[in-house]
Amino acid sequence: MKHILPAVLLALAAALPAHAEDPRPLRIGWVQAMANAPALIAEEKGYFRDEGLNVELKGFGDGPVIQQAVAGGEIDVAYIGAPPVYQWAARGLEAKIIAKVNYGQAAVIAKTDGPIHALSDLKGKRLAGVNRGSGMDVLLRGYVLKEAAGLSPDADLALSQMPVGNMNAALDTGVVDAAFLWEPFISQSVLRGAGRVVFDVNGALPGYPWYVIAAPAKTLKERPDDLVKLLRANSMAVAFLREHPEEADRIIAQSFKLESLTAADGSIVPPEAIVTEARKRLGWSAEIEPSDRAFIQRLIDYSVALGFQKRLNVDDIIDDSFAAKAAVQR
Protein backbone atom coordinates (compact mmCIF):
# COMPACT_ATOMS: atom_id res chain seq x y z
CA MET A 1 0.00 0.00 0.00
CA LYS A 2 2.80 2.36 0.84
CA HIS A 3 4.13 1.95 -2.71
CA ILE A 4 0.74 2.72 -4.29
CA LEU A 5 0.36 6.26 -2.86
CA PRO A 6 3.59 7.67 -4.38
CA ALA A 7 2.63 6.13 -7.73
CA VAL A 8 -0.77 7.79 -7.63
CA LEU A 9 0.81 11.15 -6.76
CA LEU A 10 3.28 10.81 -9.61
CA ALA A 11 0.46 10.06 -12.04
CA LEU A 12 -1.50 13.08 -10.88
CA ALA A 13 1.55 15.30 -11.21
CA ALA A 14 2.14 14.07 -14.74
CA ALA A 15 -1.44 14.94 -15.65
CA LEU A 16 -1.07 18.55 -14.52
CA PRO A 17 0.02 21.20 -17.07
CA ALA A 18 3.69 22.14 -16.98
CA HIS A 19 2.80 25.76 -16.20
CA ALA A 20 -0.41 26.47 -14.31
CA GLU A 21 -2.40 29.45 -15.58
CA ASP A 22 -1.73 32.60 -13.57
CA PRO A 23 -5.12 33.54 -12.06
CA ARG A 24 -4.17 37.20 -11.69
CA PRO A 25 -5.22 39.56 -14.49
CA LEU A 26 -2.37 41.19 -16.40
CA ARG A 27 -2.75 44.87 -15.53
CA ILE A 28 -1.99 46.90 -18.66
CA GLY A 29 -1.48 50.64 -18.38
CA TRP A 30 -1.71 52.64 -21.58
CA VAL A 31 -1.29 56.28 -22.50
CA GLN A 32 -4.66 57.19 -23.96
CA ALA A 33 -3.41 58.50 -27.29
CA MET A 34 -4.70 57.61 -30.74
CA ALA A 35 -1.30 56.23 -31.73
CA ASN A 36 -1.71 53.65 -28.94
CA ALA A 37 -4.85 52.27 -30.61
CA PRO A 38 -3.61 48.63 -30.70
CA ALA A 39 -4.29 48.42 -26.95
CA LEU A 40 -7.96 49.32 -27.31
CA ILE A 41 -8.36 47.32 -30.54
CA ALA A 42 -6.98 44.18 -28.86
CA GLU A 43 -9.54 44.65 -26.08
CA GLU A 44 -12.46 45.57 -28.36
CA LYS A 45 -11.89 42.73 -30.86
CA GLY A 46 -11.24 40.12 -28.15
CA TYR A 47 -7.63 39.38 -29.10
CA PHE A 48 -6.51 39.32 -25.47
CA ARG A 49 -9.30 36.86 -24.67
CA ASP A 50 -8.50 34.75 -27.72
CA GLU A 51 -4.97 34.33 -26.39
CA GLY A 52 -6.35 33.13 -23.06
CA LEU A 53 -5.17 36.33 -21.42
CA ASN A 54 -7.15 37.91 -18.59
CA VAL A 55 -6.37 41.64 -18.64
CA GLU A 56 -7.26 44.86 -16.88
CA LEU A 57 -6.76 47.79 -19.24
CA LYS A 58 -6.14 51.05 -17.39
CA GLY A 59 -5.89 54.38 -19.21
CA PHE A 60 -3.48 57.14 -18.17
CA GLY A 61 -2.93 60.70 -19.34
CA ASP A 62 0.83 60.52 -19.87
CA GLY A 63 4.02 58.54 -19.39
CA PRO A 64 5.14 60.06 -16.07
CA VAL A 65 1.87 58.99 -14.42
CA ILE A 66 2.34 55.46 -15.75
CA GLN A 67 5.89 55.50 -14.40
CA GLN A 68 4.50 56.17 -10.93
CA ALA A 69 1.99 53.33 -11.36
CA VAL A 70 4.73 50.91 -12.45
CA ALA A 71 7.00 51.91 -9.58
CA GLY A 72 4.10 51.53 -7.16
CA GLY A 73 3.25 48.03 -8.42
CA GLU A 74 -0.17 49.11 -9.72
CA ILE A 75 0.35 47.86 -13.29
CA ASP A 76 2.33 45.01 -14.83
CA VAL A 77 3.04 46.25 -18.35
CA ALA A 78 2.62 49.49 -20.27
CA TYR A 79 1.82 50.86 -23.70
CA ILE A 80 3.99 53.94 -23.37
CA GLY A 81 6.39 56.22 -25.23
CA ALA A 82 9.97 55.01 -25.59
CA PRO A 83 11.47 58.03 -23.74
CA PRO A 84 9.90 57.23 -20.35
CA VAL A 85 11.43 53.75 -20.48
CA TYR A 86 15.00 54.97 -20.88
CA GLN A 87 14.28 57.72 -18.37
CA TRP A 88 13.21 55.01 -15.89
CA ALA A 89 16.44 53.14 -16.53
CA ALA A 90 18.49 56.29 -15.89
CA ARG A 91 16.77 56.60 -12.51
CA GLY A 92 17.27 52.97 -11.53
CA LEU A 93 13.89 51.46 -12.42
CA GLU A 94 14.73 48.39 -14.48
CA ALA A 95 12.36 47.82 -17.40
CA LYS A 96 12.60 46.60 -20.98
CA ILE A 97 10.96 47.52 -24.26
CA ILE A 98 9.60 44.25 -25.68
CA ALA A 99 7.69 45.40 -28.79
CA LYS A 100 6.75 48.41 -30.88
CA VAL A 101 3.22 49.78 -31.11
CA ASN A 102 3.25 52.64 -33.62
CA TYR A 103 5.24 55.12 -35.67
CA GLY A 104 4.66 58.85 -36.11
CA GLN A 105 2.07 61.14 -34.44
CA ALA A 106 3.61 64.60 -33.83
CA ALA A 107 3.60 67.84 -35.82
CA VAL A 108 3.98 71.59 -35.50
CA ILE A 109 0.85 73.44 -36.56
CA ALA A 110 0.16 77.17 -37.00
CA LYS A 111 -2.90 79.27 -37.79
CA THR A 112 -4.04 78.82 -41.38
CA ASP A 113 -4.07 82.58 -42.01
CA GLY A 114 -0.97 83.30 -39.92
CA PRO A 115 2.62 84.19 -40.90
CA ILE A 116 4.26 80.89 -39.95
CA HIS A 117 4.91 78.68 -42.99
CA ALA A 118 8.18 76.98 -42.04
CA LEU A 119 10.11 76.14 -38.88
CA SER A 120 12.42 79.11 -39.46
CA ASP A 121 9.38 81.39 -39.03
CA LEU A 122 9.15 80.31 -35.38
CA LYS A 123 12.02 82.58 -34.42
CA GLY A 124 10.73 85.23 -32.04
CA LYS A 125 7.30 83.56 -31.87
CA ARG A 126 5.33 81.79 -29.12
CA LEU A 127 5.19 77.98 -29.36
CA ALA A 128 3.09 75.68 -27.18
CA GLY A 129 4.73 72.47 -25.98
CA VAL A 130 4.25 70.00 -23.15
CA ASN A 131 6.12 69.46 -19.87
CA ARG A 132 9.84 70.11 -19.92
CA GLY A 133 11.84 66.87 -19.89
CA SER A 134 8.98 64.71 -21.16
CA GLY A 135 9.45 62.56 -24.24
CA MET A 136 7.61 64.97 -26.53
CA ASP A 137 9.62 67.86 -25.09
CA VAL A 138 12.86 66.01 -25.86
CA LEU A 139 11.65 65.42 -29.44
CA LEU A 140 10.70 69.09 -29.79
CA ARG A 141 13.83 70.60 -28.28
CA GLY A 142 16.38 68.07 -29.49
CA TYR A 143 15.14 67.32 -32.99
CA VAL A 144 12.48 69.76 -34.22
CA LEU A 145 13.96 73.02 -32.90
CA LYS A 146 17.70 72.42 -32.56
CA GLU A 147 18.37 69.99 -35.38
CA ALA A 148 15.66 70.58 -37.98
CA ALA A 149 15.09 74.33 -37.42
CA GLY A 150 18.53 75.37 -36.16
CA LEU A 151 16.93 77.31 -33.31
CA SER A 152 17.75 77.54 -29.62
CA PRO A 153 14.66 76.41 -27.66
CA ASP A 154 15.51 78.79 -24.83
CA ALA A 155 16.81 81.84 -26.70
CA ASP A 156 15.16 82.06 -30.12
CA LEU A 157 11.48 81.70 -29.23
CA ALA A 158 9.07 81.65 -26.30
CA LEU A 159 8.32 78.02 -25.50
CA SER A 160 5.35 77.62 -23.16
CA GLN A 161 4.10 74.45 -21.48
CA MET A 162 0.44 73.46 -21.40
CA PRO A 163 -1.78 70.37 -21.65
CA VAL A 164 -2.12 69.20 -25.23
CA GLY A 165 -5.92 69.48 -24.95
CA ASN A 166 -5.56 73.24 -24.47
CA MET A 167 -3.29 73.90 -27.43
CA ASN A 168 -5.85 74.29 -30.21
CA ALA A 169 -7.82 76.82 -28.17
CA ALA A 170 -4.59 78.70 -27.37
CA LEU A 171 -3.78 78.77 -31.08
CA ASP A 172 -7.29 79.85 -32.08
CA THR A 173 -7.31 82.74 -29.60
CA GLY A 174 -3.78 83.94 -30.36
CA VAL A 175 -2.28 82.99 -26.99
CA VAL A 176 0.41 81.16 -29.00
CA ASP A 177 1.52 81.42 -32.62
CA ALA A 178 2.12 77.69 -33.13
CA ALA A 179 1.82 74.39 -31.26
CA PHE A 180 3.69 71.08 -31.12
CA LEU A 181 1.05 68.44 -30.55
CA TRP A 182 -0.20 65.03 -31.63
CA GLU A 183 -3.26 63.22 -32.90
CA PRO A 184 -6.22 63.62 -32.88
CA PHE A 185 -5.61 67.29 -31.99
CA ILE A 186 -3.66 67.98 -35.20
CA SER A 187 -6.39 66.58 -37.44
CA GLN A 188 -9.16 68.35 -35.52
CA SER A 189 -7.48 71.71 -36.15
CA VAL A 190 -6.72 70.94 -39.80
CA LEU A 191 -10.22 69.68 -40.60
CA ARG A 192 -11.82 72.73 -38.95
CA GLY A 193 -9.68 74.86 -41.24
CA ALA A 194 -8.17 76.66 -38.25
CA GLY A 195 -4.66 75.22 -38.42
CA ARG A 196 -2.20 73.95 -41.00
CA VAL A 197 0.69 71.54 -40.61
CA VAL A 198 3.99 73.40 -40.71
CA PHE A 199 6.23 70.44 -39.91
CA ASP A 200 5.21 66.77 -39.83
CA VAL A 201 7.83 64.81 -37.88
CA ASN A 202 6.87 61.56 -39.62
CA GLY A 203 7.31 63.31 -42.96
CA ALA A 204 10.84 64.32 -41.98
CA LEU A 205 11.67 61.03 -40.21
CA PRO A 206 9.47 58.42 -41.93
CA GLY A 207 8.45 55.59 -39.62
CA TYR A 208 10.03 56.98 -36.47
CA PRO A 209 8.88 54.85 -33.49
CA TRP A 210 7.03 56.34 -30.56
CA TYR A 211 4.80 54.09 -28.48
CA VAL A 212 6.17 50.76 -27.33
CA ILE A 213 5.23 47.94 -24.96
CA ALA A 214 7.44 47.92 -21.87
CA ALA A 215 7.52 45.79 -18.75
CA PRO A 216 9.37 46.10 -15.43
CA ALA A 217 11.79 43.44 -14.22
CA LYS A 218 9.22 41.83 -11.91
CA THR A 219 6.78 41.15 -14.77
CA LEU A 220 9.56 39.99 -17.10
CA LYS A 221 10.58 37.43 -14.52
CA GLU A 222 7.23 36.32 -13.13
CA ARG A 223 4.90 36.42 -16.16
CA PRO A 224 6.88 35.66 -19.32
CA ASP A 225 4.13 33.48 -20.84
CA ASP A 226 1.55 36.23 -20.41
CA LEU A 227 3.86 38.74 -22.08
CA VAL A 228 4.18 36.45 -25.10
CA LYS A 229 0.38 36.22 -25.29
CA LEU A 230 0.18 39.99 -25.03
CA LEU A 231 2.56 40.44 -27.95
CA ARG A 232 0.55 38.04 -30.10
CA ALA A 233 -2.63 40.01 -29.34
CA ASN A 234 -0.80 43.27 -30.09
CA SER A 235 0.34 41.95 -33.48
CA MET A 236 -3.23 40.93 -34.34
CA ALA A 237 -4.45 44.40 -33.40
CA VAL A 238 -1.81 46.05 -35.59
CA ALA A 239 -2.83 43.79 -38.50
CA PHE A 240 -6.49 44.71 -37.99
CA LEU A 241 -5.68 48.44 -38.02
CA ARG A 242 -3.88 48.00 -41.33
CA GLU A 243 -6.28 45.59 -43.02
CA HIS A 244 -9.63 47.01 -41.89
CA PRO A 245 -9.09 50.78 -41.74
CA GLU A 246 -12.76 51.81 -41.97
CA GLU A 247 -13.93 49.59 -39.11
CA ALA A 248 -10.82 50.44 -37.08
CA ASP A 249 -11.38 54.17 -37.57
CA ARG A 250 -14.96 53.81 -36.30
CA ILE A 251 -13.78 51.93 -33.20
CA ILE A 252 -11.11 54.56 -32.48
CA ALA A 253 -13.53 57.45 -32.99
CA GLN A 254 -16.07 55.86 -30.64
CA SER A 255 -13.48 54.92 -28.01
CA PHE A 256 -12.01 58.43 -27.92
CA LYS A 257 -15.49 59.97 -28.02
CA LEU A 258 -14.57 62.13 -31.00
CA GLU A 259 -17.28 64.52 -32.14
CA SER A 260 -18.23 65.77 -35.59
CA LEU A 261 -16.58 69.01 -36.72
CA THR A 262 -17.74 71.91 -38.84
CA ALA A 263 -15.27 72.68 -41.61
CA ALA A 264 -14.52 76.19 -42.86
CA ASP A 265 -16.95 75.72 -45.78
CA GLY A 266 -19.76 74.75 -43.38
CA SER A 267 -19.70 71.04 -44.17
CA ILE A 268 -19.89 68.50 -41.35
CA VAL A 269 -16.87 66.27 -40.81
CA PRO A 270 -17.80 62.93 -39.15
CA PRO A 271 -15.71 61.59 -36.24
CA GLU A 272 -14.14 58.71 -38.17
CA ALA A 273 -12.83 61.20 -40.77
CA ILE A 274 -10.65 62.66 -38.02
CA VAL A 275 -8.96 59.27 -37.59
CA THR A 276 -8.59 58.89 -41.36
CA GLU A 277 -6.88 62.29 -41.51
CA ALA A 278 -4.61 61.32 -38.60
CA ARG A 279 -3.38 58.28 -40.54
CA LYS A 280 -1.50 60.72 -42.79
CA ARG A 281 0.90 61.31 -39.88
CA LEU A 282 0.90 58.02 -37.99
CA GLY A 283 0.63 54.27 -38.42
CA TRP A 284 1.09 51.03 -36.53
CA SER A 285 3.81 48.39 -36.45
CA ALA A 286 4.76 45.72 -33.89
CA GLU A 287 8.31 44.84 -34.96
CA ILE A 288 11.34 46.67 -33.60
CA GLU A 289 13.58 47.40 -36.60
CA PRO A 290 17.27 48.42 -36.56
CA SER A 291 16.15 51.93 -37.55
CA ASP A 292 13.92 52.02 -34.46
CA ARG A 293 16.87 51.22 -32.22
CA ALA A 294 18.87 53.96 -33.89
CA PHE A 295 16.09 56.51 -33.37
CA ILE A 296 15.59 55.63 -29.70
CA GLN A 297 19.35 55.98 -29.18
CA ARG A 298 19.07 59.37 -30.86
CA LEU A 299 16.37 60.38 -28.38
CA ILE A 300 18.57 59.22 -25.50
CA ASP A 301 21.42 61.34 -26.85
CA TYR A 302 19.12 64.38 -27.13
CA SER A 303 18.08 63.86 -23.49
CA VAL A 304 21.73 63.71 -22.43
CA ALA A 305 22.65 66.83 -24.42
CA LEU A 306 19.72 68.71 -22.90
CA GLY A 307 20.91 67.78 -19.41
CA PHE A 308 17.91 65.63 -18.55
CA GLN A 309 19.74 62.37 -17.79
CA LYS A 310 22.91 60.27 -18.02
CA ARG A 311 23.84 58.40 -21.18
CA LEU A 312 22.53 54.87 -21.80
CA ASN A 313 22.89 52.32 -24.57
CA VAL A 314 19.63 51.48 -26.33
CA ASP A 315 20.52 47.78 -26.33
CA ASP A 316 20.31 47.80 -22.54
CA ILE A 317 16.59 48.64 -22.59
CA ILE A 318 15.32 46.41 -25.42
CA ASP A 319 14.58 42.68 -25.04
CA ASP A 320 13.64 40.93 -28.28
CA SER A 321 13.22 37.47 -26.76
CA PHE A 322 9.50 37.76 -26.01
CA ALA A 323 8.71 38.94 -29.55
CA ALA A 324 10.77 36.06 -30.95
CA LYS A 325 8.72 33.54 -28.93
CA ALA A 326 5.48 35.19 -29.97
CA ALA A 327 6.49 34.98 -33.63
CA VAL A 328 7.34 31.28 -33.37
CA GLN A 329 4.06 30.43 -31.61
CA ARG A 330 1.86 32.54 -33.89
Side-chain angles (χ1 to χ4, degrees):
M1 183 71 179
K2 64 181 180 180
H3 296 295
I4 295 176
L5 185 57
V8 171
L9 292 175
L10 285 171
L12 288 172
L16 292 172
H19 299 286
E21 292 290 330
D22 194 320
R24 299 169 299 168
L26 188 69
R27 299 167 302 173
I28 304 171
W30 71 296
V31 176
Q32 290 178 300
M34 186 179 289
N36 250 341
L40 68 89
I41 291 293
E43 176 81 345
E44 177 72 20
K45 299 299 292 183
Y47 297 145
F48 292 134
R49 183 186 63 247
D50 292 346
E51 288 297 323
L53 192 58
N54 178 22
V55 306
E56 287 182 4
L57 199 61
K58 301 182 179 184
F60 293 84
D62 56 39
V65 179
I66 287 188
Q67 178 182 354
Q68 294 170 11
V70 171
E74 298 172 26
I75 61 174
D76 303 306
V77 63
Y79 278 68
I80 194 168
V85 184
Y86 66 69
Q87 290 168 355
W88 296 349
R91 295 167 188 158
L93 178 60
E94 185 181 348
K96 300 287 187 182
I97 293 171
I98 59 174
K100 188 168 67 174
V101 175
N102 92 294
Y103 56 86
Q105 82 154 350
V108 175
I109 67 170
K111 293 189 75 168
T112 301
D113 56 358
I116 299 174
H117 297 272
L119 289 181
S120 57
D121 296 331
L122 291 173
K123 189 167 185 178
K125 299 297 193 298
R126 299 160 299 173
L127 175 67
V130 290
N131 291 340
R132 182 180 176 86
S134 66
M136 284 289 286
D137 182 63
V138 169
L139 182 62
L140 173 60
R141 292 174 186 270
Y143 174 66
V144 176
L145 295 177
K146 289 186 110 177
E147 191 168 316
L151 298 173
S152 168
D154 298 312
D156 289 334
L157 69 162
L159 185 55
S160 59
Q161 301 171 20
M162 65 179 67
V164 66
N166 296 349
M167 291 184 188
N168 278 334
L171 189 63
D172 292 347
T173 57
V175 172
V176 296
D177 302 301
F180 184 60
L181 67 178
W182 55 89
E183 298 294 356
F185 305 102
I186 300 166
S187 292
Q188 287 171 327
S189 181
V190 169
L191 291 173
R192 284 191 297 110
R196 70 161 172 269
V197 175
V198 172
F199 184 78
D200 172 11
V201 179
N202 193 55
L205 298 172
Y208 78 92
W210 197 253
Y211 287 110
V212 297
I213 298 176
K218 179 178 173 65
T219 307
L220 296 169
K221 180 181 179 181
E222 296 181 359
R223 308 192 66 170
D225 293 344
D226 283 346
L227 291 179
V228 171
K229 293 175 183 178
L230 170 64
L231 296 197
R232 287 203 298 268
N234 182 67
S235 292
M236 287 188 284
V238 167
F240 178 83
L241 281 157
R242 290 175 169 178
E243 296 165 9
H244 305 279
E246 292 184 2
E247 183 181 353
D249 289 358
R250 286 195 297 271
I251 292 172
I252 293 170
Q254 292 169 3
S255 297
F256 283 94
K257 297 180 172 58
L258 299 180
E259 297 180 352
S260 297
L261 303 172
T262 302
D265 62 4
S267 62
I268 301 300
V269 180
E272 57 270 19
I274 300 171
V275 189
T276 303
E277 172 69 22
R279 284 178 180 263
K280 296 177 182 179
R281 286 166 289 277
L282 66 84
W284 295 276
S285 175
E287 292 78 28
I288 299 175
E289 307 289 350
S291 59
D292 299 326
R293 289 175 178 267
F295 180 77
I296 295 172
Q297 184 65 62
R298 193 169 171 180
L299 288 174
I300 293 172
D301 294 342
Y302 291 145
S303 295
V304 174
L306 291 164
F308 295 149
Q309 69 170 74
K310 66 180 182 180
R311 193 177 193 285
L312 295 171
N313 189 308
V314 66
D315 293 330
D316 293 333
I317 59 165
I318 294 179
D319 185 340
D320 293 317
S321 64
F322 296 92
K325 291 177 183 176
V328 169
Q329 296 175 18
R330 194 171 299 140

